[in-house]
Amino acid sequence: MSIPKTYNPKEVEDKWYATWLERGFFKSQPNPKKQPYTVVIPPPNVTGVLHMGHMLNNTIQDVLVRRARMQGKEACWVPGTDHASIATEARVVAMLKEKGISKSDLTREEFLQHAFEWKEKYGGIILDQLKKLGASCDWDRTRFTMEPSLTDAVIQVFVDLYRKGQIYRGVRMVNWDPQGMTALSDEEVNFKQVNGKLYYLRYAIEGSDEVLTVATKRPETIMGDVAICVHPEDERYKHLAGQKAIIPLVNRAIPIIFDAYVDREFGTGVLKVTPAHDINDYELGVKHNLPSIDVLNDNGTIHERAGLYVGEDRFVVRKKITKDLDAQGLLEKVEDSVSNVGFSERTDAVIEPKLSMQWWCKMDEMAKPALENVMNDTIKLHPAKFKNMYRSWMENVHDWCISRQLWWGQQIPAYYLPDGTFVVARTAEEALEEARTKTGNPDLQLTDLRQDEDVLDTWFSSWLWPISVFDGFKDPDNEDILYYYPTNDLVTAPEILFFWVARMIMAGYEFRKELPFQNVYLTGIVRDAQGRKMSKSLGNSPDPLLLIEQYGADGVRAGMLFSSPAGNDLLFDEKLCEQGRNFSNKIWNAFRLINGWEVDETLPNPNEKAIKWFDSKFNEALNVLEDHFDKFRISDALLTVYKLVWDDFCSNYLEMIKPAFGSPIDAATLQATNDFLEKLMKVLHPFMPFITEEIWNSMKARAPKNCLVVAAWPEKGRVDADLLKQTDYVLTVVGQIRNQRNSKNISPAKKLALYVRLAEGKNAIAGYETLVSKLANLSEIQETEQQLDNALSFVAEDSTEFFIPMEGNIDAAAERERILKELEYTKGFLASVAKKLSNERFVSGAPDAVINAERKKQSDAEAKIAALEQSLSALPAG
């Protein structure tokens, strides 16, 4: 079989992904004879396109799934997309606007028809892009959070929780998007540092000449003020107990109240209380039984109940009211100020804290098992450092605002009767029956009922994801849910640990009385080399598909994983992808080298030591690899395989066993080498699936069912620690000889002689002379008990001295300078060790192992100094 000189990623990737799909290797069905391994994809927004965060997250998922599949487990990776209410509705509204169509001109049904058409056209883009990455999902199982059966599940859960008293309707403070005209969840709000102003306003004390100065960042809300608040221990204001203040311009009297919440150091220590427009003021209002006056319309303009500036935009009014206050002598001063302002993730409008009638889900009782089972490690977070953050959130959980003022999403199954009351039911027909029973009126008709206009928060569908993708609500005992659930591992981002992960855990215990997954692997944020979060606005986020085109999917996957420890941010540099591509080329060239050898069946095997060494080296690395996987150290796992392939196999083993140029290789060595290559392709496959599959199938003819993607994962084998230690020593000696060559600019092709000074009558490289001679290109290896004159020398870690005669080619002056520098460094090192050992406090307090290690450093340094001094004395006078 002809092997191309250069590896062509695109050709290989397209070929093998199509082959895997065609042969059904990613498909999964319940199999009682196999252990299930289940992963559900964090469903990307249907509006989304592949970005670097998706690349990292899905690469890690694919690594875990591919390994499980090779371990013989029934691996099932369920893909899908999230309907993303706010983002999708905004996208569809914009699309309609380009066509000259306004949402307000459409009925709900007409708008939804446009939305579904948009989803069908664009909604699958990101899943197709994941295929380019190599994602081995069972694509036949692709789900969508608004498909009929998943929508039924959402409605069923809403009705169930409502009937349990866990869902209610009420007025509470929400994040309000005045542009999107909807409530937002906390995770849909982005906070930014904004330069603003701090306005000092004068509030007159009723019935006196005294004036209170109040510092506020929002003068446009004074029409909604209902109280002035000061700290009860603030001596400046104690005399105001029981009095009232007059709101400037508005001229309405409001009470002065006292609460320890007030920060005496901020501004003047006086707070205006506007419960309808600030969450903290709202809490104060509840505590002190204050009224709320909402002075803003849903679109951010001033409401008529404000009495001033009616219909004008809130930010226009801020400027106007400042001028009016100043003109009437009610503005004391204005200072520059920096505020942390919330912006809508979708529209970028400034968020308005707003009292609003919404639907809420009680979280306190559902949070208890979700907290307990993470804290006791029934569900493990990786890394565990996130447990503290999780506990903080869950111990301070608030009721969840689950309604959104949109059309795209699951419409809330509440039906209003003509008298303003409502019933909750799964269908309009069920609602009608319930309404007739509730009212005692059998004449009620469907036309008498009006369904709630709002839809449910997108998270109210995605919190059910691990159950709903297996139709666990439709049929709680169906074959899929009983086999695949609970799932095994979830890979996601820390920023949605509460908003999604915690809620899925709550749903698992609430609806199936068990955990939804066993492990949660939390990735970091992908940042650029300067540590900045990648974003379109900064222009620092590369197009993943262009990276794949340039470096190959394997190169990009490896590049992403080279520096992505769990829970820590990844500082992405395109050079990492280049490193990944170079690794692909290294593997390919190693395969071509092996494939190009001619075999001579008559030759004996001269490489038994090298073969036994690499067999042990592989088994040692496999043990480390498995430990990394067990602890979800995926980056470390890749680096283990990388070093095994690049350093141990390519740089050492192949150099040990490769025949002389043009010469054949013996059959036993070639067979062992191909066996090793197959094992290496297996452990590398989860990380770099395409090139490994190509090499696997290029090594020999295989049956269609015997692709690498379903090959058996290597089993652990024996590790000969003594052999590894001795071979590592030998390789260090070889490295020292090569360093000596390089330092003297001696050609690698020139053969050198090596003399080993016996230590206590022993030759430190005995039995490895052939290997050392081959790797270091030596003409001979001799033993000596004497110091050699006119020779390069070095001392190994066991204090054995090695000499390389230079036969007049040595630069004595340069060598003397080198030895003197090394002597100076070693003497300094010895002095530092001796100082530590002479410290009685250190010696008496340190463990024996530490003391012994320091004493060994001391004896090794002393031996090295003696050897260097001998080498120095052996140099010819210069």
Side-chain angles (χ1 to χ4, degrees), residues 27-32 34-40 74-79 138 140-143 147 149-150 465-488 512 514 516:
K27 293 182 180 180
S28 179
Q29 292 296 329
N31 184 346
K34 294 170 73 175
Q35 177 185 347
Y37 178 81
T38 317
V39 172
V40 292
E74 186 59 39
C76 179
W77 184 11
V78 181
D138 182 349
D140 290 345
R141 290 182 173 272
T142 301
R143 308 305 298 261
E147 67 179 80
S149 63
L150 270 66
W465 187 247
I467 304 173
S468 61
V469 295
F470 297 115
D471 291 324
F473 292 99
K474 182 179 181 181
D475 179 1
D477 296 316
N478 78 75
E479 186 181 21
D480 274 3
I481 193 74
L482 294 178
Y483 183 75
Y484 292 114
Y485 188 94
T487 67
N488 294 79
R512 292 200 66 84
E514 61 181 331

Side-chain angles (χ1 to χ4, degrees), residues 268-471:
T268 60
V270 183
L271 176 74
K272 76 182 195 71
V273 183
T274 318
H277 299 289
D278 183 275
I279 183 61
N280 297 309
D281 289 10
Y282 173 73
E283 299 294 342
L284 271 177
V286 171
K287 182 177 178 182
H288 292 273
N289 197 28
L290 298 171
S292 289
I293 304 172
D294 188 348
V295 297
L296 290 176
N297 293 311
D298 288 348
N299 63 359
T301 59
I302 304 298
H303 193 280
E304 61 183 16
R305 71 173 65 94
L308 300 171
Y309 311 106
V310 175
E312 298 188 60
D313 182 78
R314 53 188 168 153
F315 296 121
V316 172
V317 172
R318 183 177 297 177
K319 293 178 180 178
K320 279 191 174 183
I321 201 170
T322 303
K323 290 180 180 178
D324 292 345
L325 287 164
D326 191 32
Q328 296 191 31
L330 299 172
L331 178 66
E332 186 169 302
K333 62 179 177 177
V334 179
E335 293 179 346
D336 290 333
S337 175
V338 177
S339 301
N340 201 26
V341 178
F343 290 80
S344 168
E345 183 182 56
R346 302 302 175 189
T347 67
D348 205 37
V350 174
I351 291 302
E352 193 63 52
K354 182 176 174 63
L355 284 174
S356 179
M357 176 65 79
Q358 301 286 343
W359 289 90
W360 303 85
C361 183
K362 295 178 182 178
M363 294 277 97
D364 49 355
E365 288 302 315
M366 282 194 282
K368 289 176 181 177
L371 173 60
E372 177 187 352
N373 286 286
V374 168
M375 299 317 294
N376 66 18
D377 286 335
T378 299
I379 299 170
K380 293 183 173 68
L381 303 186
H382 304 274
K385 68 179 183 180
F386 285 106
K387 286 173 70 174
N388 288 334
M389 180 194 297
Y390 182 88
R391 180 173 59 194
S392 175
W393 279 335
M394 298 300 280
E395 288 178 344
N396 297 282
V397 70
H398 297 290
D399 288 357
W400 174 13
C401 177
I402 57 174
S403 48
R404 297 291 180 270
Q405 288 62 55
L406 302 164
W407 281 352
W408 176 249
Q410 284 96 5
Q411 192 171 356
I412 289 174
Y415 297 82
Y416 296 91
L417 282 62
D419 63 1
T421 62
F422 63 85
V423 294
V424 170
R426 294 176 64 171
T427 65
E429 289 72 22
E430 289 180 15
L432 179 61
E433 289 303 312
E434 193 166 328
R436 286 172 174 173
T437 302
K438 181 177 180 178
T439 61
N441 180 2
D443 296 327
L444 279 176
Q445 301 298 316
L446 282 176
T447 52
D448 296 320
L449 303 185
R450 176 182 59 84
Q451 187 173 357
D452 197 302
E453 289 288 315
D454 292 352
V455 298
L456 287 158
D457 178 14
T458 299
W459 296 103
F460 199 81
S461 56
S462 55
W463 78 317
L464 310 176
W465 187 247
I467 304 173
S468 61
V469 295
F470 297 115
D471 291 324

Side-chain angles (χ1 to χ4, degrees), residues 13 16-29 39-44 50 54 58-59 61-62 65-66 69 74-82 119 123-144 147 465 469-470 480 484 557 690 709:
E13 289 162 13
W16 282 115
Y17 202 85
T19 300
W20 293 330
L21 290 178
E22 179 188 327
R23 296 179 186 174
F25 290 135
F26 302 160
K27 293 182 180 180
S28 179
Q29 292 296 329
V39 172
V40 292
I41 199 171
L50 201 63
H54 292 133
N58 287 281
T59 295
Q61 289 179 80
D62 196 44
V65 171
R66 284 179 181 272
R69 189 181 288 119
E74 186 59 39
C76 179
W77 184 11
V78 181
T81 51
D82 189 291
K119 179 262 175 187
I125 289 176
I126 192 165
L127 298 183
D128 288 336
Q129 291 174 329
L130 286 176
K131 294 175 184 177
K132 292 289 185 183
L133 184 66
S136 59
C137 302
D138 182 349
W139 298 107
D140 290 345
R141 290 182 173 272
T142 301
R143 308 305 298 261
F144 172 53
E147 67 179 80
W465 187 247
V469 295
F470 297 115
D480 274 3
Y484 292 114
R557 288 168 65 114
F690 293 107
V709 67

